[in-house]
Amino acid sequence: MSKANLLNRRSVVGSLLADRKEAIVVGGLGASTYDIAAAGDHDRNFYLWGAMGGAVMIGLGMALAQPDLPVVVITGDGEMLMGMGSLATVGLQKPGNLSIIVLDNEVYGETGGQASHTGANVDLVAVAQACGVTDAHALATLAEIEAFAASMQDISSGPRFASVKIDAANLERVLSSRDGQYTVTRIRGSLGFGPI
Amino acid sequence: MDARTETASESLASWPEEIFAILKRFDVRQVPYVPDAGHSQLIDRVLGEPSMRAVPLTTEEEGVALLVGAWAGGQRGVLLMQSSGVGNCVNMLSLTQIFRFPFLTLVTMRGEWGEFNPWQVPMGSATAGVFELSGIKVLRANHPEEVREVVEAAAGQAYNACTPTAVLLSQRLIGAKVFTK
């Protein structure tokens, strides 16, 4: 499945999160959650093991609740396609602190590598732009990834969207916690919120 | 998603004001919604309230995910929708079990009490069952004078006990939609 010149997904996510500072990070269902776990477990990591199509909306809820913190959603093309309407909802709300990155391997890697729409005629960058997320770009080099990672810290100029075509090779799974209550309680604790 | 023919009694209903006061008292900050005529007065109040963020959705399931993010970020929310939207939420409702977060939704009912449009009946008939199968407690208000008490109880158990709860606001309460040519 490997193609020349496409970025390695772990390198991309490692670069995005290397200097994340106070950011809250949401991973979409599937390999993007493994990539975030591989970059290092963190109190402010939100791992999805279900709820396909919900990653951007979870990020939006956090971004509206914590407008002074960067919120970063890292998801895959299949997950993003299922929640494409959420780009319209983000485009309406325009949270300055929200960044969305799609790791686009053009396949459903978790289920056997079936082709996704992005390998044919669907351009998610154009979709984001058309939904009012005007700062939307395709990134192709690690230098562009690093520049995007720096921009994520600017909480006044979002929302921003990036799609990165990545190598479709399935990498070893790095399993995060699957316990939702643990994950949310940990994030809330890091923000100063206790249990009920 | 449709406008009912407005009557004088609808335009001055007091129960949406009572719901709004309860949401404000419980410090509800994010209000995702798909419009429904039965919620129009409440939506207008939310849009005019600086402490609340109204979030129009493209589909109701977005609202369930939004409320998880709100909770993780330290805010409470409520999802406003019509009964037909409950079916759009089904897989996303699993989040209420996974996160045990304070999920509250207020659902205006169609497909009952003099419904003119048969297309509303199947989902309206299944609404309570879908919630119950998804592990969500269902309360119902049929009359204007019981709305305050029912929504108060629902908000209390959702926000104080993290018991996911849906309030069905009946078509009898809202008034059956009148279709005119």
Side-chain angles (χ1 to χ4, degrees):
Chain A
M1 295 291 288
S2 291
K3 286 186 201 167
N5 301 322
L6 288 175
L7 295 174
N8 172 285
R9 58 188 310 140
R10 296 276 157 87
S11 305
V12 170
V13 174
S15 176
L16 286 170
L17 301 184
D19 193 19
R20 61 187 281 176
K21 299 190 174 71
E22 301 296 311
I24 304 170
V25 177
V26 182
L29 171 65
S32 54
T33 270
Y34 312 146
D35 297 332
I36 290 165
D41 190 30
H42 194 287
D43 283 353
R44 292 187 180 175
N45 280 1
F46 193 111
Y47 305 113
L48 278 185
W49 283 83
M52 186 165 176
V56 166
M57 289 307 299
I58 290 172
L60 177 61
M62 287 181 183
L64 296 178
Q66 291 290 331
D68 296 330
L69 292 178
V71 175
V72 180
V73 176
I74 301 175
T75 189
D77 47 306
E79 208 275 344
M80 188 71 257
L81 286 164
M82 194 173 283
M84 217 153 72
S86 59
L87 291 173
T89 299
V90 166
L92 209 57
Q93 296 297 319
K94 295 207 176 343
N97 57 334
L98 180 63
S99 300
I100 302 162
I101 300 100
V102 174
L103 304 172
D104 185 358
N105 59 7
E106 303 182 352
V107 294
Y108 291 86
E110 194 68 18
T111 56
Q114 300 87 350
S116 96
H117 301 45
T118 59
N121 54 335
V122 174
D123 178 353
L124 288 173
V125 173
V127 170
Q129 286 173 341
C131 287
V133 183
T134 51
D135 183 356
H137 301 280
L139 309 181
T141 68
L142 274 180
E144 289 174 336
I145 301 291
E146 286 165 11
F148 187 87
S151 77
M152 293 178 341
Q153 297 295 325
D154 181 352
I155 56 170
S156 63
S157 62
R160 58 187 68 82
F161 178 96
S163 172
V164 188
K165 294 287 184 181
I166 54 160
D167 191 295
N170 276 327
L171 305 180
E172 182 187 2
R173 290 189 176 105
V174 177
L175 303 181
S176 69
S177 170
R178 301 178 304 289
D179 184 336
Q181 288 182 43
Y182 165 78
T183 301
V184 163
T185 301
R186 194 167 68 148
I187 292 176
R188 282 173 53 83
S190 84
L191 298 170
F193 300 105
I196 62 166
Chain B
M1 289 292 292
D2 30 30
R4 287 177 172 83
T5 302
E6 198 169 277
T7 66
S9 62
E10 275 181 330
S11 67
L12 294 171
S14 63
W15 58 266
E17 301 300 320
E18 292 171 338
I19 293 175
F20 177 72
I22 292 165
L23 299 179
K24 202 157 170 2
R25 189 150 40 78
F26 275 91
D27 195 28
V28 169
R29 304 292 298 279
Q30 296 192 28
V31 186
Y33 68 91
V34 171
D36 180 64
H39 276 315
S40 60
Q41 194 175 330
L42 178 58
I43 289 168
D44 283 344
R45 294 289 272 129
V46 169
L47 286 167
E49 171 53 49
S51 72
M52 294 182 182
R53 183 74 169 237
V55 182
L57 309 169
T58 70
T59 179
E60 293 81 354
E61 66 177 304
E62 291 179 5
V64 183
L66 182 89
L67 294 185
V68 170
W71 172 243
Q75 290 189 340
R76 292 170 172 176
V78 62
L79 171 59
L80 308 182
M81 60 179 161
Q82 183 193 98
S83 48
S84 52
V86 176
N88 292 347
C89 291
V90 173
N91 184 48
M92 218 54 92
L93 291 176
S94 60
L95 296 177
T96 65
Q97 311 301 303
I98 294 296
F99 295 111
R100 203 175 64 90
F101 74 108
F103 178 75
L104 177 65
T105 182
L106 307 179
V107 180
T108 45
M109 292 301 297
R110 292 291 306 272
E112 58 178 33
W113 197 260
E115 177 64 61
F116 174 85
N117 180 355
W119 296 56
Q120 288 284 356
V121 175
M123 191 63 232
S125 304
T127 298
V130 164
F131 278 132
E132 283 160 1
L133 284 169
S134 303
I136 293 164
K137 306 298 181 193
V138 179
L139 303 179
R140 177 184 267 273
N142 288 319
H143 304 287
E145 57 271 21
E146 65 185 2
V147 171
R148 187 188 58 75
E149 194 176 53
V150 171
V151 175
E152 179 98 36
Q157 71 190 44
Y159 299 126
N160 295 328
C162 288
T163 302
T165 302
V167 175
L168 308 187
L169 300 167
S170 79
Q171 185 149 299
R172 184 175 187 180
L173 165 73
I174 297 158
K177 179 176 175 178
V178 179
F179 285 83
T180 50
K181 286 184 184 173

